[in-house]
């Protein structure tokens, strides 16, 4: 008789599959944060589609994951390559990879802009250096020299009349959000959770909802071959 002993036959994803993938996704992200083994457990690859139909991908940070609406939020420069691509085509794919936990999560959907109030609140929570950086950088545009970037940052500090001495002391400083900087919320229509297992017999499942914007949108879960 053949023994399957060397294999981990236990389900690594919740079994039966839950109605929505988001509580598990949120738990995986929280676990990655708690383990503290990676400086950016919320890093995710974001793929967008260019005007020629070709994909481009880069890392961004997940700043909110809302299990109720099934959305994932990130922030960026609206005039960057990704920002311009998203203005023309809202379709995206995201990938989280938590190597230490042998886990991957894929999210696909369309983006919608976050509200100005939401972007303002998140911008205000950033370190002052990052807030200046958002003003100084014309993200994805050519740069003659690194020196020019620091000159741009200095100019912005003067234009905005920022009290650098206070900022360095750790006192609160008011730095408004640049009009070219905001966030996008990915309304997930497809999610796939992957948990590695022995013999590459990984545990893998996909959830799909045809109309994610509908209040009562229900997910259809399907286990997949690894
Ligand atoms: C760990 C990490 C986190 C990053 N987080 C962000 C982010 O949250 N937002 C962002 O616009 N760029 C972020 N970047 C930079 C992007 O990967 C990318 O270089 C930049 O956004 C320009 O991309 P684009 O030219 O495709 O628009 C991050 C890079 C790394 C390595």
């Amino acid at each position: 008789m053949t023994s399957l002993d060397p294999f981990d036959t236990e389900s690594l994803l919740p079994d039966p599959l839950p109605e929505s993938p988001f509580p598990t996704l949120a738990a995986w992200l929280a676990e990655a944060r708690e383990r503290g083994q990676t400086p950016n457990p919320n890093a995710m690859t974001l793929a967008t589609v260019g005007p020629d139909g070709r994909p481009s991908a880069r890392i961004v940070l997940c700043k909110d994951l809302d299990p109720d609406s099934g959305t994932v939020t990130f922030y960026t420069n609206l005039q960057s390559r990704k920002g311009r691509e998203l203005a023309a085509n809202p379709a995206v794919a995201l990938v989280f990879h938590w190597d230490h936990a042998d886990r991957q999560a894929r999210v696909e959907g369309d983006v919608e802009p976050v509200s100005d109030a939401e972007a303002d609140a998140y911008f205000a929570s950033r370190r002052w250096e990052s807030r200046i950086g958002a003003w100084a950088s014309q993200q994805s545009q050519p740069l003659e020299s690194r020196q020019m970037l620091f000159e741009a940052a200095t100019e912005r500090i003067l234009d905005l009349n920022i009290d650098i001495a206070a900022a360095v002391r750790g006192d609160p400083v008011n730095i408004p959000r640049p009009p070219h900087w905001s966030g996008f919320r990915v309304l997930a229509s497809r999610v796939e959770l992957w948990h590695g297992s022995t013999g590459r017999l990984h545990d893998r499942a996909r959830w799909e909802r045809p109309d994610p914007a509908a209040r009562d949108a229900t997910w259809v879960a399907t286990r997949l071959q690894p």
Side-chain angles (χ1 to χ4, degrees):
M1 203 174 120
T2 316
S3 166
L4 278 177
D5 280 355
F7 290 89
D8 186 356
T9 52
E10 229 177 274
S11 181
L12 299 164
L13 294 174
D15 195 11
L17 294 172
E19 197 263 312
S20 160
F22 266 84
T24 308
L25 177 54
W28 284 9
L29 176 58
E31 252 177 64
R33 277 189 212 283
E34 279 156 24
R35 286 177 76 127
Q37 286 179 342
T38 159
N40 293 300
N42 56 337
M44 55 189 188
T45 299
L46 162 74
T48 52
V49 184
D52 52 3
R54 299 183 70 85
S56 69
R58 79 289 288 154
I59 301 285
V60 291
L61 297 179
C62 165
K63 287 297 170 181
D64 189 44
L65 196 149
D66 179 31
D68 290 338
S69 56
T71 56
V72 181
T73 302
F74 64 91
Y75 288 86
T76 192
N77 183 311
L78 302 178
Q79 284 152 17
S80 63
R81 177 175 179 186
K82 76 182 95 47
R84 283 181 282 115
E85 290 185 352
L86 290 173
N89 184 341
V92 296
L94 303 170
V95 184
F96 293 90
H97 178 212
W98 296 292
D99 209 3
H100 63 273
D102 215 6
R103 287 170 175 166
Q104 170 182 248
R106 300 166 61 175
V107 177
E108 291 168 33
D110 284 352
V111 291
E112 58 183 26
V114 303
S115 68
D116 284 346
E118 206 176 327
D120 287 344
Y122 172 62
F123 190 74
S125 76
R126 304 178 88 211
R127 290 176 60 93
W128 69 269
E129 295 95 323
S130 309
R131 285 181 278 158
I132 300 283
W135 275 103
S137 169
Q138 293 179 292
Q139 195 178 54
S140 314
Q141 294 302 312
L143 180 64
E144 227 174 274
S145 67
R146 213 161 143 66
Q147 176 64 20
M148 300 283 278
L149 183 60
F150 291 102
E151 280 172 21
T154 309
E155 266 171 41
R156 301 319 274 173
I157 288 169
L158 295 172
D159 292 347
L160 295 162
N161 208 11
I162 294 160
D163 184 348
I164 285 294
V168 171
R169 274 200 309 274
D171 292 348
V173 280
N174 179 30
I175 306 173
R177 176 174 61 90
H180 59 256
W181 192 97
S182 191
F184 292 97
R185 192 178 290 114
V186 180
L187 201 47
S189 52
R190 183 179 295 149
V191 174
E192 183 191 310
L193 301 179
W194 181 103
H195 200 311
S197 189
T198 43
R200 312 229 167 247
L201 295 185
H202 315 301
D203 205 357
R204 189 177 168 205
R206 179 183 64 208
W207 285 255
E208 288 175 303
R209 50 177 183 172
D211 184 9
R215 235 157 205 273
D216 56 353
T218 50
W219 294 96
V220 177
T222 312
R223 232 180 186 98
L224 298 175
Q225 304 219 13

